[in-house]
Amino acid sequence: MSNIEAPDVRDEGYDDWLDAVDAGEGFYLECENGHGSLPPRRVCPRCGATDLEETPLPDAGEIETFTEIAVAPPSFVEDTPYVTAVADFGPVRLTGLVRRADGADLDGEDVAVGMAVSAAVGESETTGERALVLEPR
Ligand SMILES: [Zn+2]
């Protein structure tokens, strides 16, 4: 998070963040008022502070909402059916695909609000592009 003059490098910031999550060093950005946000943000979305500090992401989050996707956009068509969820990690919420750590199939019946998950990085089975994954713990 060094180049503050490049507000348009959104994917780059996000890719760096995925790298960190993949390495087990996931983080979020915390402003001086304790608000959490995620890269590639450079300004706190709640108070406008620009001094954001990388803070280790909590090890576990809790699923808040989830959706089973049967009809996917083209980049995920070969992944269907799959489950996406929003998980509460305390200061931040993460949105990702819900997958078991061992790669076994998972569907909406296997997921519940309140389920504990870890953040990880996986790939779209369709395009090979990386995506944030929420793994039940
Ligand atoms: Zn703030």
Side-chain angles (χ1 to χ4, degrees):
M1 300 286 101
S2 55
N3 187 353
I4 58 171
E5 294 177 345
D8 292 332
V9 292
R10 302 181 66 90
D11 287 351
E12 193 173 301
Y14 189 68
D15 279 338
D16 288 348
W17 183 73
L18 284 179
D19 285 345
V21 171
D22 204 17
E25 296 170 354
F27 61 89
Y28 66 96
L29 302 175
E30 186 178 54
C31 79
E32 61 210 12
N33 295 314
H35 305 141
S37 56
L38 293 173
R41 283 191 186 278
R42 293 163 199 285
V43 176
C44 174
R46 286 176 61 188
C47 71
T50 55
D51 185 13
L52 304 181
E53 187 162 342
E54 292 185 7
T55 306
L57 193 66
D59 289 339
E62 227 176 59
I63 288 184
E64 276 192 347
T65 64
F66 65 92
T67 308
E68 185 167 11
I69 308 290
V71 180
S75 57
F76 281 98
V77 75
E78 287 170 25
D79 295 73
T80 54
Y82 61 93
V83 179
T84 64
V86 178
D88 179 358
F89 276 72
V92 288
R93 287 182 169 76
L94 303 185
T95 302
L97 305 173
V98 185
R99 285 186 183 164
R100 293 190 208 281
D102 63 8
D105 284 344
L106 175 150
D107 63 33
E109 292 178 7
D110 301 317
V111 181
V113 170
M115 178 181 271
V117 291
S118 305
V121 175
E123 287 184 354
S124 160
E125 291 171 22
T126 310
T127 64
E129 282 182 33
R130 296 191 303 167
L132 186 74
V133 170
L134 300 167
E135 292 178 347
R137 292 167 66 89

